[in-house]
Amino acid sequence: MDPAVDRKVSGIVAATFTPFNPDGHINPAVIGPYVDYLTKKQGVTNVFVNGTTGESVSLSMEERKVLAEVWCREGKGKLDQLIVHVGCMSLKDTQELARHAEEIGADGIAVISPSFFKPSTADALREYLKQVAKVAPTLPFYYYHIPAMTGINVNARDVVEGIEQLIPSFRGLKFSGTDLMDFGQCVRLSQPNWSLLYGVDEQLLAGLAMGAEGAVGSTFNYMGCHTKQLITAFKAGDLSQARAIEFKVQELLCFAIKKGFNLGVNKQLMIEVSGLSLGPPRLPLLQCPADNSQAIAKKYHSLFPDP
């Protein structure tokens, strides 16, 4: 069967948070309202599920399957593209999640490199990705490059060069790194049916200038509508307006970093802005102190006042 890879991903893709109950169990009941918030309040119709923002490596296999299933069910008819991240430390677990994503009707899968036993070369990583892609051949396949988290010292450029010969379903890259030369070379090597998605929210404008066709990010959960305005301004050639929005994003994140910005803080900010009951992060991540999250939310509203 030919892979269903005709629809390119572009624009804003929200890297979703995983909702937990206060007792630490996943809370899939929130996903329906979450979909409605993204689509109706933020104008975001693409999601990246069970990634870094979703605390995937802290979830069990069964939890990841349940979350992917509920996102697919609740997003049907509302979301344009739903990419499920299936990367694990184990090749067999990654393959199992890839098969599952294909079975439940996901629109694509993404895979991060293992980061305990690390691939030492691009060829080793490419072979790993090939072994995952081949078990779900009908799904568009994306490599998720995030060296700050994986510690993988392999340029994405070396991974993607000629990869379509190894992985016919390969359709792009989530580049969550700050090396714009490496990203630029990925753009240079890109095929017409690939989607090059930038993943460092506070540098999105630079990524767009290098040729990104869209972006995957955690802040798009609560700043998606503003980021869409940034992209619109960039495409219209209004760099002054695009910079003005980007500088606001950077000002917010600079303020948040001083408050100890991490995934727990980011999640709490989403709760403050959206009103969704997403719960705490899972240990070893700690919940954000209330005074910090409220201060960051106040800063957010001062920079992005409600219309």
Side-chain angles (χ1 to χ4, degrees):
M1 183 183 296
D2 292 332
V5 290
D6 293 332
R7 291 193 303 146
K8 292 187 66 172
V9 182
S10 62
I12 296 300
V13 184
T16 60
F17 296 96
T18 291
F20 292 110
N21 287 313
D23 63 5
H25 291 91
I26 61 171
N27 184 13
V30 178
I31 292 175
Y34 197 159
V35 170
D36 290 339
Y37 173 80
L38 289 176
T39 56
K40 295 176 182 179
K41 298 294 186 181
Q42 295 296 332
V44 173
T45 56
N46 303 310
V47 297
F48 187 90
V49 175
N50 290 343
T52 303
T53 304
E55 304 177 62
S56 60
V57 296
S58 295
L59 301 172
S60 70
M61 293 283 287
E62 184 59 31
E63 287 175 325
R64 290 175 70 164
K65 288 181 179 181
V66 169
L67 291 165
E69 289 169 8
V70 177
W71 272 102
C72 283
R73 183 177 69 244
E74 296 293 339
K76 187 174 183 180
K78 298 179 180 180
L79 297 173
D80 292 328
Q81 294 266 358
L82 190 151
I83 300 171
V84 179
H85 171 247
V86 300
C88 304
M89 293 300 101
S90 160
L91 172 61
K92 296 302 181 183
D93 287 348
T94 303
Q95 289 175 323
E96 182 177 337
L97 290 179
R99 291 189 190 95
H100 178 260
E102 187 176 49
E103 291 168 358
I104 64 176
D107 297 300
I109 54 174
V111 177
I112 199 171
S113 171
S115 57
F116 189 87
F117 292 115
K118 299 178 175 66
S120 59
T121 66
D123 284 342
L125 179 51
R126 284 153 59 94
E127 182 60 27
Y128 176 86
L129 299 177
K130 175 184 175 182
Q131 294 304 315
V132 178
K134 75 177 186 179
V135 305
T138 69
L139 285 184
F141 183 92
Y142 301 90
Y143 168 51
Y144 178 11
H145 179 72
I146 183 167
M149 298 298 286
T150 63
I152 304 298
N153 297 314
V154 174
N155 285 337
R157 175 235 185 266
D158 296 330
V159 176
V160 304
E161 184 174 18
I163 198 169
E164 68 276 9
Q165 304 301 318
L166 292 174
I167 305 176
S169 59
F170 187 84
R171 287 302 180 270
L173 174 72
K174 178 182 185 289
F175 190 98
S176 296
T178 57
D179 186 343
L180 288 173
M181 183 170 75
D182 188 24
F183 180 66
Q185 290 302 293
C186 292
V187 174
R188 181 180 69 82
L189 294 167
S190 178
Q191 302 301 305
N193 55 359
W194 292 10
S195 296
L196 277 297
L197 306 171
Y198 197 62
V200 182
D201 302 10
E202 64 272 24
Q203 292 186 181
L204 174 56
L205 185 55
L208 292 171
M210 291 303 298
E213 297 168 297
V216 183
S218 59
T219 66
F220 307 154
N221 284 283
Y222 50 85
M223 287 198 289
C225 58
H226 305 295
T227 308
K228 289 180 68 176
Q229 292 172 1
L230 185 158
I231 293 177
T232 298
F234 174 80
K235 289 182 176 179
D238 189 350
L239 290 179
S240 178
Q241 175 65 8
R243 288 192 194 102
I245 298 170
E246 185 79 294
F247 291 159
K248 286 184 178 181
V249 173
Q250 292 177 346
E251 184 177 350
L252 175 66
L253 294 181
C254 284
F255 180 85
I257 288 169
K258 292 179 181 178
K259 298 290 185 180
F261 191 67
N262 58 18
L263 197 151
V265 176
N266 201 10
K267 187 176 190 181
Q268 188 62 38
L269 179 57
M270 171 61 174
I271 293 170
E272 297 281 350
V273 174
S274 70
L276 294 169
S277 298
L278 298 176
R282 178 168 283 177
L283 290 170
L285 299 178
L286 298 176
Q287 190 166 13
C288 174
D291 55 344
N292 282 1
S293 64
Q294 290 167 7
I296 298 169
K298 182 178 179 181
K299 182 69 173 179
Y300 166 85
H301 289 298
S302 72
L303 292 167
F304 300 102
D306 293 333

